[in-house]
Amino acid sequence: MNSKGRKPIIAGNWKMNKTLEEAKKLAIEVKNNTLARAPEVEVVICPPFTALTEVASIIKGSHVKLGAQNCHWKDSGAFTGEISPIMLKDVGCEYVIVGHSERRQYFGETDEIVSMKAKAALAHGLSPIVCVGEHLEHREKGMTKDIIRGQVIGSLRGIEAEEILRAVVAYEPVWAIGTGKTATPEQAQEVHAFVRNLLIDLYGLEVALKVRIQYGGSVKPANIAALMSEVDIDGALVGGASLEAIQFAEIVSYEAKGK
Ligand code: PGA
């Protein structure tokens, strides 16, 4: 727990990367290199589906938690190519990313779909990492808050107060993902505070203050400490820099770097 009263959470989103052997190697390295920070920081890795089972056995009993990158909202059935929350729970996942901007952009996921996925994940004991974020054109037109408001309210629709405590919200400005352009800590904090206020409206102050809000978008060892020093930034969802264990471990150790 930090001074904000929330346990920081750093999650690695491996996206569509790593063969099975590569994933196993990376999981072992992440486990070994992040151990020192285990009491203060929650560490999550989200490999591709094909590596979940093997990675689960590598990190079993350790401080590293397992997450998936997507799920369907139904328990089972005729949905060719899809994976259900029950299956994810079965192989040892505790987290699942829902509504990542790449899912929204390339696979047509709407806020309604994202909320169904988040609800389904919660119903099966998984913690959804619910992603929101504006595109560059929205920011340039001064529409960031309108977009974020719509996404937060739409993606969390139907989620009760006791459920939101198990969820994580990730603010990922789309223009910062994989581009090397991080939002400044001030830009990120402004949106995080806005998201926190939306959570207050939806769930009340006491609950909203307990919900963790991650930042994502070109997080690197060099910028994590400044981001984490902001009052409403409770962790990071890391893409590119999570594919290499030493960089990811440096991000997890952000306090050591910041001092
Ligand atoms: P990035 O990706 O760190 O490579 O920008 C972040 C994400 O998409 O979660």
Side-chain angles (χ1 to χ4, degrees):
M1 212 65 77
N2 58 11
S3 57
K4 305 169 197 172
R6 299 178 290 269
K7 185 166 184 169
I9 174 166
I10 308 278
N13 172 11
W14 296 2
K15 307 193 180 182
M16 196 173 72
N17 294 292
K18 305 292 176 188
T19 62
L20 190 51
E21 285 311 308
E22 290 166 349
K24 283 158 68 176
K25 182 168 174 286
L26 181 55
I28 292 167
E29 290 170 354
V30 168
K31 183 171 80 168
N32 294 338
N33 285 300
T34 58
L35 182 60
R37 285 286 275 161
E40 294 101 50
V41 178
E42 198 168 341
V43 181
V44 182
I45 50 178
C46 305
F49 291 130
T50 46
L52 286 175
T53 306
E54 295 271 4
V55 168
S57 67
I58 287 167
I59 61 179
K60 194 172 182 186
S62 82
H63 64 288
V64 182
K65 296 182 175 169
L66 189 66
Q69 300 172 18
N70 181 31
C71 67
H72 197 267
W73 57 90
K74 293 277 192 182
D75 294 358
S76 62
F79 300 100
T80 302
E82 294 292 320
I83 304 280
S84 84
I86 291 181
M87 295 167 177
L88 296 179
K89 189 77 186 165
D90 186 41
V91 297
C93 288
E94 292 182 52
Y95 286 90
V96 59
I97 300 168
V98 294
H100 189 280
S101 65
E102 287 149 17
R103 304 282 331 162
R104 292 176 184 264
Q105 191 169 350
Y106 305 129
F107 303 98
E109 290 192 11
T110 60
D111 293 330
E112 192 188 359
I113 292 174
V114 177
S115 72
M116 290 194 292
K117 292 183 173 198
K119 281 277 311 168
L122 285 160
H124 293 292
L126 291 163
S127 292
I129 297 176
V130 182
C131 302
V132 297
E134 83 285 3
H135 285 261
L136 184 58
E137 59 180 291
H138 299 137
R139 180 161 280 268
E140 285 173 344
K141 287 186 192 148
M143 289 164 60
T144 299
K145 288 184 178 164
D146 292 335
I147 296 291
I148 299 298
R149 183 187 298 107
Q151 289 183 349
V152 168
I153 293 173
S155 304
L156 300 182
R157 182 157 290 136
I159 293 177
E160 309 292 334
E162 62 273 17
E163 293 177 314
I164 195 70
L165 291 170
R166 289 192 284 123
V168 175
V169 178
Y171 168 57
E172 299 204 299
V174 180
W175 48 271
I177 295 178
T179 58
K181 280 189 218 145
T182 332
T184 63
E186 297 74 28
Q187 281 175 323
Q189 167 57 27
E190 190 185 355
V191 180
H192 280 237
F194 181 70
V195 172
R196 181 91 54 209
N197 279 324
L198 292 170
L199 294 173
I200 293 171
D201 291 346
L202 292 170
Y203 301 105
L205 182 65
E206 201 188 329
V207 170
L209 286 178
K210 291 186 184 147
V211 179
R212 293 177 297 178
I213 309 173
Q214 289 178 309
Y215 169 79
S218 297
V219 172
K220 303 276 181 268
N223 57 31
I224 182 71
L227 288 161
M228 290 301 291
S229 70
E230 298 290 343
V231 290
D232 289 297
I233 301 184
D234 306 310
L237 185 52
V238 186
S242 74
L243 297 174
E244 202 276 314
I246 299 299
Q247 270 199 70
F248 186 62
E250 279 180 25
I251 292 171
V252 171
S253 308
Y254 62 89
E255 262 172 359
K257 270 199 80 75
K259 275 177 189 155

